[in-house]
Amino acid sequence: MQVTTELGEHLARYLDLSVNEAKVTASNMANIDTPGYRTKGFDFGSEIAKAFDSFEDPRSHLVNMHEVDGLVSRPDGNNVSIDRESLHLAEAQLKFRTGIALLRLENQRVMDAIRADK
Amino acid sequence: MNLFGVMETSGSAMRAERVRAEVVAANMANAENTRTESGGPYKRHHLVFAANQPNLNFGDSMHTVHLGSLDQDHVQPEGGVHIAGVFEDAGASLKRYDPGHPDAGPDGYVAYPDINPLTEMVDLMSASRAYGLNSSAVQAEKGMITSALDIARS
């Protein structure tokens, strides 16, 4: 018998990636005053497509990180932007909450099926 | 990968910014200090931040994160920030003519620390802003953890 659904698996990967996004953003925020620090990030769209296509454990999935360009550098070589990071954190938070809401619905669906005879 | 790791990252920044505010406070408190243990006037202190060794793949970050490690100063969560050191300003001190002063040199000039209240205030404001930014990040992470707990509740 199988109680985990395909949507559940996908949502797990989605949640994992949104936590990664929050982590990268928090790390950029933490280094807002570090001289020479460059903003890091990854492309959520291509990473989620990669995660959905792979059959391996989502936790072993490696995120392709890169330095974000197109940001204005300060004289000390740091290019962290408060606005960009705040926006990304809010975005990651919303993605995470969306994933949680969908996962709860999915679990509810499975529970309904289990209790269908009552 | 876990959500508490995100909190540690923001926590490391809050700790670093608080130390920065302390250094600014010490600089301002000693702005007129002409006597120190090492002799001569107080020297302005600089704080240097450095990024923790980034772990770009996140895969093996699980073992670095454990609860209760936030209060240990030596813990450097990946992606966070740490204080590389506190350095004394190498610049010359300010000379003010005051022959009656006990610390005046033979020429009648007293060496005062070269501390500009304006730069110190700007530094303090920037530290306080960065502290607030990271504390709002912690707030966001708390919200995420709380919502994750809702999965179990139905």
Side-chain angles (χ1 to χ4, degrees), chain B residues 2-4 33 38 60 65 67-68 71 77 93 95 103-104 130 148 151:
Chain B
N2 93 30
L3 265 174
F4 292 103
N33 184 350
S38 53
D60 49 4
V65 170
L67 281 174
D71 49 8
S93 47
K95 301 275 188 194
D103 288 331
I151 304 179

PDB file of all heavy atoms in Angstrom, chain B residues 2-4 33 38 60 65 67-68 71 77 93 95 103-104 130 148 151:
ATOM      1  N   ASN B   2      17.984  22.475   6.939  1.00  0.00           N
ATOM      2  CA  ASN B   2      16.887  22.690   7.862  1.00  0.00           C
ATOM      3  C   ASN B   2      16.688  24.152   8.185  1.00  0.00           C
ATOM      4  O   ASN B   2      17.570  24.977   8.023  1.00  0.00           O
ATOM      5  CB  ASN B   2      17.012  21.743   9.064  1.00  0.00           C
ATOM      6  CG  ASN B   2      17.739  22.298  10.247  1.00  0.00           C
ATOM      7  OD1 ASN B   2      17.725  23.492  10.488  1.00  0.00           O
ATOM      8  ND2 ASN B   2      18.352  21.409  10.986  1.00  0.00           N
ATOM      9  N   LEU B   3      15.464  24.433   8.625  1.00  0.00           N
ATOM     10  CA  LEU B   3      15.077  25.831   8.815  1.00  0.00           C
ATOM     11  C   LEU B   3      15.819  26.499   9.971  1.00  0.00           C
ATOM     12  O   LEU B   3      16.000  27.706   9.963  1.00  0.00           O
ATOM     13  CB  LEU B   3      13.580  25.899   9.081  1.00  0.00           C
ATOM     14  CG  LEU B   3      12.700  26.160   7.859  1.00  0.00           C
ATOM     15  CD1 LEU B   3      11.255  26.054   8.224  1.00  0.00           C
ATOM     16  CD2 LEU B   3      12.985  27.522   7.282  1.00  0.00           C
ATOM     17  N   PHE B   4      16.239  25.696  10.956  1.00  0.00           N
ATOM     18  CA  PHE B   4      16.953  26.302  12.079  1.00  0.00           C
ATOM     19  C   PHE B   4      18.314  26.838  11.633  1.00  0.00           C
ATOM     20  O   PHE B   4      18.841  27.775  12.225  1.00  0.00           O
ATOM     21  CB  PHE B   4      17.113  25.297  13.216  1.00  0.00           C
ATOM     22  CG  PHE B   4      15.806  24.939  13.860  1.00  0.00           C
ATOM     23  CD1 PHE B   4      15.188  23.734  13.589  1.00  0.00           C
ATOM     24  CD2 PHE B   4      15.181  25.829  14.706  1.00  0.00           C
ATOM     25  CE1 PHE B   4      13.977  23.417  14.161  1.00  0.00           C
ATOM     26  CE2 PHE B   4      13.958  25.525  15.284  1.00  0.00           C
ATOM     27  CZ  PHE B   4      13.360  24.306  15.017  1.00  0.00           C
ATOM     28  N   ASN B  33      39.382  60.572  25.769  1.00  0.00           N
ATOM     29  CA  ASN B  33      40.288  59.825  26.640  1.00  0.00           C
ATOM     30  C   ASN B  33      41.747  60.083  26.233  1.00  0.00           C
ATOM     31  O   ASN B  33      42.159  59.740  25.132  1.00  0.00           O
ATOM     32  CB  ASN B  33      39.934  58.340  26.516  1.00  0.00           C
ATOM     33  CG  ASN B  33      40.738  57.480  27.451  1.00  0.00           C
ATOM     34  OD1 ASN B  33      41.685  57.939  28.060  1.00  0.00           O
ATOM     35  ND2 ASN B  33      40.351  56.234  27.561  1.00  0.00           N
ATOM     36  N   SER B  38      48.369  51.515  27.549  1.00  0.00           N
ATOM     37  CA  SER B  38      49.543  51.445  26.683  1.00  0.00           C
ATOM     38  C   SER B  38      50.201  52.811  26.524  1.00  0.00           C
ATOM     39  O   SER B  38      51.176  52.942  25.776  1.00  0.00           O
ATOM     40  CB  SER B  38      49.140  50.873  25.328  1.00  0.00           C
ATOM     41  OG  SER B  38      48.055  51.604  24.798  1.00  0.00           O
ATOM     42  N   ASP B  60      25.538  18.822   2.696  1.00  0.00           N
ATOM     43  CA  ASP B  60      26.097  18.307   3.943  1.00  0.00           C
ATOM     44  C   ASP B  60      26.074  19.343   5.052  1.00  0.00           C
ATOM     45  O   ASP B  60      26.934  19.386   5.900  1.00  0.00           O
ATOM     46  CB  ASP B  60      27.515  17.780   3.711  1.00  0.00           C
ATOM     47  CG  ASP B  60      28.356  18.779   2.952  1.00  0.00           C
ATOM     48  OD1 ASP B  60      27.855  19.894   2.687  1.00  0.00           O
ATOM     49  OD2 ASP B  60      29.492  18.468   2.634  1.00  0.00           O
ATOM     50  N   VAL B  65      24.588  22.074  11.926  1.00  0.00           N
ATOM     51  CA  VAL B  65      23.500  22.764  12.598  1.00  0.00           C
ATOM     52  C   VAL B  65      22.982  21.914  13.738  1.00  0.00           C
ATOM     53  O   VAL B  65      22.638  20.761  13.555  1.00  0.00           O
ATOM     54  CB  VAL B  65      22.356  23.036  11.588  1.00  0.00           C
ATOM     55  CG1 VAL B  65      21.126  23.533  12.318  1.00  0.00           C
ATOM     56  CG2 VAL B  65      22.801  24.029  10.560  1.00  0.00           C
ATOM     57  N   LEU B  67      20.699  22.436  17.573  1.00  0.00           N
ATOM     58  CA  LEU B  67      20.006  23.380  18.445  1.00  0.00           C
ATOM     59  C   LEU B  67      20.873  23.758  19.637  1.00  0.00           C
ATOM     60  O   LEU B  67      21.684  22.976  20.106  1.00  0.00           O
ATOM     61  CB  LEU B  67      18.719  22.746  18.956  1.00  0.00           C
ATOM     62  CG  LEU B  67      17.563  22.750  17.968  1.00  0.00           C
ATOM     63  CD1 LEU B  67      16.413  21.971  18.529  1.00  0.00           C
ATOM     64  CD2 LEU B  67      17.141  24.168  17.674  1.00  0.00           C
ATOM     65  N   GLY B  68      20.701  24.970  20.110  1.00  0.00           N
ATOM     66  CA  GLY B  68      21.405  25.401  21.306  1.00  0.00           C
ATOM     67  C   GLY B  68      22.796  25.920  21.038  1.00  0.00           C
ATOM     68  O   GLY B  68      23.499  26.297  21.958  1.00  0.00           O
ATOM     69  N   ASP B  71      24.245  30.293  21.316  1.00  0.00           N
ATOM     70  CA  ASP B  71      24.863  31.085  22.370  1.00  0.00           C
ATOM     71  C   ASP B  71      26.367  30.828  22.484  1.00  0.00           C
ATOM     72  O   ASP B  71      27.026  31.401  23.331  1.00  0.00           O
ATOM     73  CB  ASP B  71      24.166  30.826  23.701  1.00  0.00           C
ATOM     74  CG  ASP B  71      24.012  29.357  23.999  1.00  0.00           C
ATOM     75  OD1 ASP B  71      24.586  28.552  23.237  1.00  0.00           O
ATOM     76  OD2 ASP B  71      23.352  29.001  24.965  1.00  0.00           O
ATOM     77  N   PRO B  77      28.054  29.458  11.668  1.00  0.00           N
ATOM     78  CA  PRO B  77      27.154  28.796  10.736  1.00  0.00           C
ATOM     79  C   PRO B  77      27.498  29.168   9.289  1.00  0.00           C
ATOM     80  O   PRO B  77      27.859  30.309   9.026  1.00  0.00           O
ATOM     81  CB  PRO B  77      25.780  29.314  11.127  1.00  0.00           C
ATOM     82  CG  PRO B  77      26.023  30.557  11.884  1.00  0.00           C
ATOM     83  CD  PRO B  77      27.354  30.412  12.529  1.00  0.00           C
ATOM     84  N   SER B  93      46.974  61.081  16.249  1.00  0.00           N
ATOM     85  CA  SER B  93      45.962  61.628  17.153  1.00  0.00           C
ATOM     86  C   SER B  93      45.808  63.133  16.917  1.00  0.00           C
ATOM     87  O   SER B  93      46.656  63.763  16.297  1.00  0.00           O
ATOM     88  CB  SER B  93      46.348  61.331  18.594  1.00  0.00           C
ATOM     89  OG  SER B  93      47.698  61.659  18.797  1.00  0.00           O
ATOM     90  N   LYS B  95      45.816  66.986  17.930  1.00  0.00           N
ATOM     91  CA  LYS B  95      46.581  67.798  18.890  1.00  0.00           C
ATOM     92  C   LYS B  95      45.784  69.062  19.220  1.00  0.00           C
ATOM     93  O   LYS B  95      45.315  69.753  18.315  1.00  0.00           O
ATOM     94  CB  LYS B  95      47.928  68.186  18.278  1.00  0.00           C
ATOM     95  CG  LYS B  95      48.782  66.981  17.894  1.00  0.00           C
ATOM     96  CD  LYS B  95      49.578  66.492  19.060  1.00  0.00           C
ATOM     97  CE  LYS B  95      50.574  65.419  18.622  1.00  0.00           C
ATOM     98  NZ  LYS B  95      51.123  64.690  19.751  1.00  0.00           N
ATOM     99  N   ASP B 103      48.237  65.983  30.840  1.00  0.00           N
ATOM    100  CA  ASP B 103      48.820  65.113  29.817  1.00  0.00           C
ATOM    101  C   ASP B 103      49.446  65.909  28.666  1.00  0.00           C
ATOM    102  O   ASP B 103      49.761  65.325  27.622  1.00  0.00           O
ATOM    103  CB  ASP B 103      47.759  64.160  29.260  1.00  0.00           C
ATOM    104  CG  ASP B 103      47.402  63.087  30.282  1.00  0.00           C
ATOM    105  OD1 ASP B 103      48.286  62.753  31.092  1.00  0.00           O
ATOM    106  OD2 ASP B 103      46.255  62.614  30.287  1.00  0.00           O
ATOM    107  N   ALA B 104      49.621  67.204  28.856  1.00  0.00           N
ATOM    108  CA  ALA B 104      50.189  68.018  27.781  1.00  0.00           C
ATOM    109  C   ALA B 104      51.663  67.693  27.600  1.00  0.00           C
ATOM    110  O   ALA B 104      52.376  67.419  28.582  1.00  0.00           O
ATOM    111  CB  ALA B 104      50.018  69.499  28.102  1.00  0.00           C
ATOM    112  N   ALA B 130      21.063  47.174  10.165  1.00  0.00           N
ATOM    113  CA  ALA B 130      21.399  45.804   9.770  1.00  0.00           C
ATOM    114  C   ALA B 130      20.881  44.814  10.809  1.00  0.00           C
ATOM    115  O   ALA B 130      20.425  43.727  10.473  1.00  0.00           O
ATOM    116  CB  ALA B 130      22.907  45.665   9.595  1.00  0.00           C
ATOM    117  N   ALA B 148       5.132  25.272   9.140  1.00  0.00           N
ATOM    118  CA  ALA B 148       5.501  23.866   8.894  1.00  0.00           C
ATOM    119  C   ALA B 148       4.910  22.958   9.964  1.00  0.00           C
ATOM    120  O   ALA B 148       4.551  21.809   9.696  1.00  0.00           O
ATOM    121  CB  ALA B 148       7.018  23.715   8.858  1.00  0.00           C
ATOM    122  N   ILE B 151       1.451  21.272   9.391  1.00  0.00           N
ATOM    123  CA  ILE B 151       1.231  20.059   8.591  1.00  0.00           C
ATOM    124  C   ILE B 151       0.722  18.946   9.493  1.00  0.00           C
ATOM    125  O   ILE B 151      -0.194  18.212   9.151  1.00  0.00           O
ATOM    126  CB  ILE B 151       2.534  19.573   7.909  1.00  0.00           C
ATOM    127  CG1 ILE B 151       3.130  20.682   7.061  1.00  0.00           C
ATOM    128  CG2 ILE B 151       2.262  18.370   7.044  1.00  0.00           C
ATOM    129  CD1 ILE B 151       4.419  20.262   6.398  1.00  0.00           C
TER     130      ILE B 151
END
